[in-house]
Structures are given as C-alpha cells and as structure tokens.
Amino acid sequence: MNSILSDFNRPNYRPTVVAGEIYKDVSLSFIHPASGDLLLATDIEAVKNSIRNIVLTPRGTRPFFPEFGTRVSRLLFELASPITASQIKNEIITSVEKFEKRISKFQVRVDDDHEKNAYRITTTFQMAYGTDVEFIFLLTRNR
C-alpha cells in the first residue's frame, strides 16, 4: 500500500482489524469541537475523503503534481444535459481509478438536480477487503 498517511509506513506496524488493512487520513473537519484535537478519518471514511478530494481538486492546481484532480469544475457550468452528465461521469471514473488504488469495482451515476442547481453523484465501490460502499455527494454550480 502506498498511502502517505497510512500507519503501514511506520516500522513494525501491525493492523489490529480482522480485515488486515485499515486506512487513516486527516478528517475534513480537522478539529474536534470539544477537545480541540486533530480528528482522524479511518477506513471507509478515509477513502471517501480521498474520492471527494480527487473529484473537487481542479486538475493543474497542485504544485509538483499537476495531473492530480479532475476537470469537473469546468463541466459544471456547461448546459445541463445527458452529454454533460456523461462527461462528468467519465472524468470522475478516470481520475478516481487512476489515483485511488484502495478500491475496486468503482461505478458512478450522475443525476442532474435542477432544484439545487447541482449534480448528484452516486458512487459505489468495493474496499480491498470486500466491503461494498455507496457514497453520495453533490457537485454544485456556485461561483
């Protein structure tokens, strides 16, 4: 496993879960509201954060890693049509399969949500140890 934030990078690390692998990452909310400690996202939540980061990062914006991310932000402001939804779907699938190696059987459904001026993204994937996961989020057309 090549995850930079993984505990597998520590010498003599042994996972304590039955699955044999656990993923850790910094939570997107960062700080615990009561204790002020840094929050960690583990396992499925860490992978969901990674997928969200891949999709929401515009390609070319990361110094020293310009190929990371997607071109979804450009597609959001195109006319809402099945063609645009298909392009968004293809962009997400291509990028996530390229950068997220902890999952398999990755599938995406893109639905136009006219009332919220957004696209509803439904992803399904399988973790390395066999758990099936569904992850839903919105891509909004806000400037």
Side-chain angles (χ1 to χ4, degrees):
M1 189 167 106
N2 297 343
S3 177
I4 294 171
L5 296 176
S6 171
D7 281 353
F8 285 98
N9 292 327
R10 290 189 322 200
N12 303 321
Y13 175 75
R14 291 180 185 237
T16 57
V17 293
V18 175
E21 294 185 36
I22 189 165
Y23 310 117
K24 290 186 180 182
D25 201 351
V26 177
S27 174
L28 293 179
S29 57
F30 291 110
I31 305 296
H32 188 277
S35 68
D37 292 339
L38 186 66
L39 290 176
L40 292 178
T42 58
D43 208 24
I44 294 172
E45 290 304 314
V47 173
K48 287 179 181 181
N49 287 346
S50 175
I51 291 171
R52 186 181 299 120
N53 286 337
I54 292 167
V55 172
L56 296 179
T57 301
R59 190 171 295 155
T61 59
R62 286 217 175 157
F64 307 108
F65 198 14
E67 65 274 6
F68 184 82
T70 64
R71 293 186 179 105
V72 168
S73 59
R74 293 184 202 167
L75 295 169
L76 287 177
F77 294 98
E78 297 292 326
L79 291 175
S81 70
I83 294 171
T84 304
S86 176
Q87 290 174 330
I88 290 172
K89 176 182 175 178
N90 292 337
E91 188 69 27
I92 291 171
I93 289 172
T94 302
S95 295
V96 170
E97 286 179 348
K98 181 176 181 181
F99 296 111
E100 185 51 71
K101 303 297 183 191
R102 299 175 287 187
I103 62 174
S104 61
K105 299 181 182 177
F106 184 69
Q107 297 178 343
V108 177
R109 190 178 79 229
V110 178
D111 299 310
D112 185 26
D113 189 344
H114 294 292
E115 293 177 8
K116 294 182 180 176
N117 200 26
Y119 285 101
R120 181 182 174 94
I121 310 298
T122 305
T123 64
T124 57
F125 55 90
Q126 191 173 60
M127 298 293 289
Y129 50 82
T131 302
D132 292 327
V133 179
E134 181 178 69
F135 176 45
I136 301 170
F137 59 97
L138 286 177
L139 292 176
T140 58
R141 296 180 190 105
N142 293 335
R143 289 200 185 249

